[in-house]
Amino acid sequence: MAPTDSNSTGDLTSEILQALSQTDQISSAETFPHVPFDSLKAALDRLSSRSMVTYEQVEREEASLEPEAVSIVSHGSHEARVFDAVHKALDGLSIQDLEKEIGDKNVTKVGQGKAFKEKWIKKDGSKLVSLVDSINDVTRDQLRIIQETKTHDSKIIADLKKRKLLKMQKVISFRISKGAKFALELVKEETDLTAEMLATGSWKTATFKPYNFRALGADQHSGALHPLNKVRQEFRHIFFEMGFAEMPTDQYVESGFWNFDALFVPQQHPARDLQDTFYVSDPKKADRPGPISPDDKRDYAEYFESVRQVHENGKFGSIGYRYPWDEEESLRLVLRTHTTAVSAAMLHKLAFEGRGGRTPPARYFSIDRVFRNESVDATHLCEFHQVEGVIADYGLTLGGLMEFMNIFFGKMGITNYNPYTEPSMEIFSYHTGLNKLIEIGNSGMFRPETLEPMGLPRDLRVYGFGLSLERPTMIKYGISNIRELLGHQVDLRFIEKNPAVRLDKD
């Protein structure tokens, strides 16, 4: 039975079985060269599910002629056409006459160069004359072979590709063999056990189609959570499990006071330069810190003055930075460079809650977006998400912070100096994609110059730690370039297909 170019899966399965009945193995490239891939694959899957055939996919690269190469096969190579035109003119041809004879300026130009190189023609005065009586059009012969066989010697293929006469394309075919239940006819498989079958007893001899538990369901075109949101939720679970309360972080614009001064960052610090921070141009300034609601009874004026004093002349046992502190600089509006500005406001609120008694211990966390004027590369963006936590309690030590970091990062499966913390520690993790250790966070203990102006008691200590949300996500999903995770270069298919995440599991 001769194979036909049939799109019917039923007819095609019969043709496959008939072709296999005459031999133990066939190649789809030879037996069904013109059958569309999808039709052939569907027929093979149907037969394979019944164990009537087995098949394996074979991939190979084939050379395909470009339109210019097809023209060469039909009319000869450029150099051969130039030689033929010159050779026919007994007295030679001028370049202008050669162009008229061939009718294609590009063929004339390219052909001349190659004909000169092969020493088939030469220039004699103003004319071109032939040097040999006959030639072998090697290029045309090579392209003819490739047109028939789809392949040739690798060096020849490379040379013709360089001349843009060929392109390589991947071709998929199948090697098909008889299966354990090979037969020439398909047995009808029932998909349902019906009442009629039970009544007549025909179910006893019926063949039922087996369930395919690996079959994918229909694409529901549903929405998808971004990997950052998935990892963010995992972080939130960890914080809540460890007794933290979430801080409000919906204010992207902060004054320099909350973003820098309250955290004991001097006004000459490089972090406050235009090269590192985005300043707001309109409006440029904020008001002095004040109540955020009618119920807010905190003394902001005293706090503002204490911060000024601890910077300028020192206070609470500190000698300060001893420089003329500028209120105008403190009130400049910035896109927050860290969520620690929110932590400062929360600690100030905590101090007020403890007035007239013992300030209660507290644990706060936040996960939100921050902005820094950084050079964009594989691990840095101008905006990213910061995960931050603070722990306020009595008797805290650096050793306790190290132990807490071990526990915290252990829950995630992850075995720079800050002016407002002293001492400080950095946290690194190995990234298999980048093949190096990358910094994913830092930690330290808040300085007294940060805490005591808020009104917190001297014996209260505060741990502070932070990390980006992006880098643990990159490590978890094996992403080596942060721009593939956040921004306009993100592949939406990755967002739709990325798996669920558990930070403590591979």
Side-chain angles (χ1 to χ4, degrees), residues 11 48 81 113 138 225 232 268 273 315 343 399 441 473 476:
D11 292 343
S48 177
R81 290 173 66 181
V138 176
L225 288 175
R232 180 181 185 274
Q268 299 83 13
D273 291 344
K315 196 176 182 181
S343 300
T473 306
K476 200 66 184 178

Side-chain angles (χ1 to χ4, degrees), residues 17 111 127 133 136 190 258 290 328 388 395 418 462 474 496 500:
L17 294 174
K127 294 187 175 183
D133 293 329
N136 181 19
E190 303 291 348
W258 289 112
E328 294 293 311
E388 176 161 339
N418 293 310
V462 178
M474 290 169 66
E496 293 170 355

Side-chain angles (χ1 to χ4, degrees), residues 146-158:
I146 292 171
Q147 190 178 46
E148 294 173 1
T149 65
K150 307 298 183 183
T151 187
H152 211 306
D153 180 77
S154 58
K155 290 184 178 178
I156 293 173
I157 293 285

Side-chain angles (χ1 to χ4, degrees), residues 46 50 52 181 183 185-190 205-207:
R46 186 180 182 194
R50 293 166 168 77
M52 297 179 73
K181 298 180 180 179
E185 291 185 5
L186 282 171
V187 177
K188 182 184 178 183
E189 291 183 324
E190 303 291 348
T205 57
T207 301

Side-chain angles (χ1 to χ4, degrees), residues 215-264:
L216 296 176
D219 192 345
Q220 300 301 308
H221 302 290
S222 59
L225 288 175
H226 193 284
L228 285 173
N229 282 334
K230 294 181 180 180
V231 175
R232 180 181 185 274
Q233 193 61 26
E234 283 291 300
F235 272 113
R236 294 181 78 244
H237 285 317
I238 292 172
F239 277 118
F240 288 137
E241 178 187 319
M242 300 182 76
F244 284 76
E246 192 164 13
M247 296 184 281
T249 55
D250 54 353
Q251 186 169 302
Y252 289 168
V253 177
E254 293 281 4
S255 68
F257 176 82
W258 289 112
N259 200 77
F260 297 119
D261 295 284
L263 298 170
F264 200 50

Side-chain angles (χ1 to χ4, degrees), residues 64-359:
S64 177
L65 302 190
E66 296 283 10
E68 185 178 349
V70 175
S71 175
I72 289 174
V73 171
S74 301
H75 305 104
S77 66
H78 301 340
E79 54 269 32
R81 290 173 66 181
V82 167
F83 171 79
D84 288 343
V86 172
H87 188 63
K88 287 177 183 177
L90 298 178
D91 297 329
L93 280 177
S94 67
I95 294 177
Q96 292 79 8
D97 291 337
L98 179 62
E99 288 181 1
K100 291 178 182 178
E101 180 69 22
I102 292 177
D104 189 320
K105 191 173 184 179
N106 182 60
V107 171
T108 305
K109 181 179 179 181
V110 175
Q112 275 186 79
K114 292 193 173 293
F116 277 125
K117 186 177 180 181
E118 296 291 339
K119 297 183 179 179
W120 294 347
I121 63 173
K122 73 173 184 178
K123 195 167 185 180
D124 187 4
S126 61
K127 294 187 175 183
L128 299 172
V129 296
S130 60
L131 293 174
V132 294
D133 293 329
S134 64
I135 61 165
N136 181 19
D137 192 349
V138 176
T139 302
R140 186 182 195 179
D141 294 341
Q142 290 171 344
L143 290 173
R144 277 177 172 166
I145 293 172
I146 292 171
Q147 190 178 46
E148 294 173 1
T149 65
K150 307 298 183 183
T151 187
H152 211 306
D153 180 77
S154 58
K155 290 184 178 178
I156 293 173
I157 293 285
D159 179 59
L160 294 174
K161 280 177 64 180
K162 191 175 181 181
R163 292 174 61 181
K164 298 182 178 179
L165 296 175
L166 294 182
K167 62 182 176 182
M168 303 304 292
Q169 57 187 22
K170 183 185 290 185
V171 177
I172 299 175
S173 61
F174 301 98
R175 192 177 295 120
I176 311 166
S177 305
K178 293 178 180 177
K181 298 180 180 179
F182 177 80
L184 289 178
E185 291 185 5
L186 282 171
V187 177
K188 182 184 178 183
E189 291 183 324
E190 303 291 348
T191 57
D192 295 301
L193 180 62
T194 65
E196 183 182 351
M197 288 181 184
L198 293 173
T200 62
S202 62
W203 62 272
K204 296 177 182 178
T205 57
T207 301
F208 289 93
K209 185 175 182 179
Y211 284 106
N212 182 3
F213 293 103
R214 295 186 178 182
L216 296 176
D219 192 345
Q220 300 301 308
H221 302 290
S222 59
L225 288 175
H226 193 284
L228 285 173
N229 282 334
K230 294 181 180 180
V231 175
R232 180 181 185 274
Q233 193 61 26
E234 283 291 300
F235 272 113
R236 294 181 78 244
H237 285 317
I238 292 172
F239 277 118
F240 288 137
E241 178 187 319
M242 300 182 76
F244 284 76
E246 192 164 13
M247 296 184 281
T249 55
D250 54 353
Q251 186 169 302
Y252 289 168
V253 177
E254 293 281 4
S255 68
F257 176 82
W258 289 112
N259 200 77
F260 297 119
D261 295 284
L263 298 170
F264 200 50
V265 179
Q267 294 184 343
Q268 299 83 13
H269 195 278
R272 302 178 77 147
D273 291 344
L274 286 172
Q275 292 86 347
D276 294 290
T277 300
F278 291 110
Y279 284 90
V280 178
S281 59
D282 186 21
K284 292 184 177 181
K285 284 177 52 181
D287 296 329
R288 275 193 172 200
I292 58 175
S293 71
D295 298 328
D296 189 354
K297 305 300 182 184
R298 285 175 281 176
D299 190 344
Y300 286 94
E302 181 183 353
Y303 179 40
F304 191 79
E305 180 60 22
S306 292
V307 169
R308 182 193 65 77
Q309 290 177 12
V310 80
H311 276 257
E312 195 166 76
N313 301 310
K315 196 176 182 181
F316 309 108
S318 169
I319 63 173
Y321 289 120
R322 290 172 291 180
Y323 70 94
W325 187 79
D326 183 4
E327 180 175 331
E328 294 293 311
E329 179 67 24
S330 180
L331 298 180
R332 291 179 70 185
L333 287 171
V334 301
L335 289 180
R336 67 180 180 207
T337 61
H338 45 204
T339 51
T340 318
V342 182
S343 300
M346 291 300 293
L347 289 172
H348 182 232
K349 182 180 179 182
L350 179 67
F352 179 75
E353 291 173 354
R355 69 193 187 286
R358 184 178 172 85
T359 300

